[in-house]
Amino acid sequence: MQIAVANPITRERFLNIRNRTEQICQSLLPEDVSVQPVDFVSPPKWHLAHTTWFFEEFILSKHKSSYKRFNKDFAYYFNSYYNNVGERVLRANRGLMTRPTFEDVIDYRAHVNNNMAKFLEGEVDNEISNIIEIGLQHEQQHQELLIYDIKYILGHQVTFPTLDFEVKLTLENQHQEFVKIDESVYEIGHKENCFCWDNELGHHKVYLHDFEISNRLVTNSEFIEFIEAGGYEDFNLWHADGWDWVKSDSINAPMYWHKVNDKWMHYTLSGFKEVDAHLPVSHMSFYEAFAYSQWKGMRLPTEFEWEIASQYLDYGQLWEWTNSAYLPYPNYTKAEGAIGEYNGKFMVNTMVMRGASVASPKGHCRPTYRNFFAPENRWQFSGIRLAK
């Protein structure tokens, strides 16, 4: 990873980021925090513990000689996918753990926070600072995942509960225009003196043909036109895998949408509301984004087109699907050990998203950021930008 110099590791910054994770969960009830309705959703309790385990495993247990682990079994309970670190609970089984309790996890966080705060009062060398920075960036990614998972958990309950904080989209009411980008050789990848993940490196050149890209995201009203025109019923618009997904899962609308008395309603973290025609359509899978682009006689941009065009775009409301498979850049180097498992081993069967979303922590929106999801995933805050 390339590490930030603009955001030094301080006790205050560490604790502020850690506190934010708990603030996201503050309006949840004890019954909410252990639920795992599907395997791609992790219980909020698990997020709180896993992000804590990172600092215990990679900092305190290795670099603080007097440190005593809170519970020797927590490394097994709350490791995610780091094979270099050891065995772990399978992802699909995270929701089976009613024990440790939520109170145990909060105590665990306090234990690690207190030890980390004391650790940061001393001299910390660059190598350890870099790992702490990765841990903080990792925790902020989990803050966004927490919002996805909480919305999925609450949005699939009959009472449609609300949270005491808002994640609000803004209207996409500007007139649609297409930004023209000329054919040329362009430079791609991260080169600024700030943090980036290893998948944003190395910096390299790509050749792009002329293309045009929309100045705004696709709106709800535009996507309703696709639904009403039979878009979910026309196999010609879909990839074969996408069409299989539509049929096997009976997909006929975006996630969280429900037709009530001939009106489209949807679940938001602020409650069950009528779909606002001028907001960007969200919770799109890659399959749906591709099918919609086909229906419009256009396409999705590649991630390289998106990165070059980003300087002319207003982005950051929703992660935007690209038509690029998630693959390593030329000269990509995977770090050794557990940290090297963070991105590289997932470079298969996923598609790249660019930008950020309203759920992304501040500072996680940059032109080179490469997010990635399986094409059927749509519980993330994801939208569509057209290209041609």
Side-chain angles (χ1 to χ4, degrees), residues 375-387:
E376 71 274 11
N377 288 157
R378 59 180 188 162
W379 96 115
Q380 72 274 23
F381 284 57
S382 50
I384 308 172
R385 189 185 298 270
L386 296 173

Side-chain angles (χ1 to χ4, degrees), residues 169 218-225 227 254 257 266 275-282:
L169 296 169
V218 173
T219 64
N220 286 324
S221 63
E222 291 169 327
F223 199 82
I224 288 172
E225 292 176 6
I227 297 173
W257 283 36
H266 67 148
V275 169
D276 188 323
H278 300 295
L279 288 178
V281 64
S282 60

Side-chain angles (χ1 to χ4, degrees), residues 6-274:
N7 294 310
I9 306 298
T10 65
R11 179 181 181 276
E12 290 70 27
R13 178 170 170 249
F14 175 86
L15 292 175
N16 284 340
I17 290 174
R18 296 280 290 161
N19 289 337
R20 172 60 179 157
T21 310
E22 294 175 29
Q23 289 168 3
I24 291 170
C25 299
Q26 68 185 4
S27 62
L28 297 179
L29 299 175
E31 290 81 0
D32 298 324
V33 298
S34 295
V35 178
Q36 186 179 25
V38 288
D39 61 0
F40 59 79
V41 165
S42 293
K45 182 178 71 175
W46 184 89
H47 285 285
L48 290 163
H50 167 70
T51 51
T52 303
W53 165 84
F54 184 100
F55 295 107
E56 181 175 66
E57 183 64 37
F58 295 112
I59 303 298
L60 295 174
S61 66
K62 289 180 170 56
H63 303 289
K64 190 172 187 236
S65 58
S66 62
Y67 180 72
K68 293 183 179 179
R69 287 182 181 268
F70 182 82
N71 183 312
K72 63 180 179 59
D73 294 326
F74 276 24
Y76 173 73
Y77 298 155
F78 300 121
N79 180 5
S80 55
Y81 50 72
Y82 298 92
N83 291 314
N84 280 280
V85 179
E87 295 297 320
R88 60 207 177 276
V89 172
L90 295 177
R91 179 175 182 173
N93 293 339
R94 292 171 185 171
L96 301 178
M97 293 191 293
T98 59
R99 309 291 176 89
T101 66
F102 183 51
E103 288 184 5
D104 291 334
V105 168
I106 294 302
D107 289 344
Y108 179 38
R109 288 182 68 86
H111 173 81
V112 168
N113 285 353
N114 290 337
N115 278 275
M116 282 295 301
K118 292 175 183 176
F119 183 78
L120 290 170
E121 290 172 358
E123 198 74 29
V124 181
D125 66 33
N126 286 339
E127 182 179 353
I128 297 174
S129 292
N130 289 349
I131 299 173
I132 296 172
E133 182 63 46
I134 291 169
L136 292 175
Q137 297 283 334
H138 163 258
E139 177 133 3
Q140 289 180 309
Q141 287 186 317
H142 274 272
Q143 290 168 359
E144 182 163 2
L145 285 169
L146 254 173
I147 294 172
Y148 301 167
D149 291 353
I150 290 169
K151 184 171 182 179
Y152 194 96
I153 290 166
L154 301 185
H156 286 80
Q157 296 186 34
V158 294
T159 56
F160 292 130
T162 62
L163 288 184
D164 58 2
F165 69 91
E166 292 186 314
V167 181
K168 293 183 67 174
L169 296 169
T170 57
L171 300 179
E172 292 277 350
N173 53 10
Q174 64 269 45
H175 177 70
Q176 186 174 42
E177 298 177 352
F178 282 82
V179 179
K180 295 182 179 180
I181 305 294
D182 293 332
E183 173 185 18
S184 188
V185 175
Y186 293 95
E187 293 187 348
I188 293 293
H190 194 92
K191 59 180 179 179
E192 304 300 325
N193 189 23
C194 63
F195 181 89
C196 76
W197 295 108
D198 57 1
N199 63 5
E200 301 173 57
L201 303 169
H203 193 256
H204 63 287
K205 291 180 170 59
V206 299
Y207 171 80
L208 298 179
H209 290 279
D210 294 334
F211 71 96
E212 298 179 26
I213 189 166
S214 176
N215 66 327
R216 64 167 175 80
L217 300 176
V218 173
T219 64
N220 286 324
S221 63
E222 291 169 327
F223 199 82
I224 288 172
E225 292 176 6
F226 168 79
I227 297 173
E228 293 178 345
Y232 281 102
E233 300 158 15
D234 185 354
F235 62 84
N236 292 293
L237 302 174
W238 299 79
H239 290 103
D241 283 352
W243 185 244
D244 289 344
W245 172 76
V246 166
K247 304 311 287 183
S248 64
D249 289 12
S250 300
I251 305 296
N252 59 15
M255 181 174 279
Y256 303 119
W257 283 36
H258 304 269
K259 198 71 171 289
V260 180
N261 297 327
D262 291 328
K263 289 184 179 180
W264 281 112
M265 307 289 290
H266 67 148
Y267 175 69
T268 74
L269 288 170
S270 300
F272 192 59
K273 299 182 177 182
E274 185 173 352

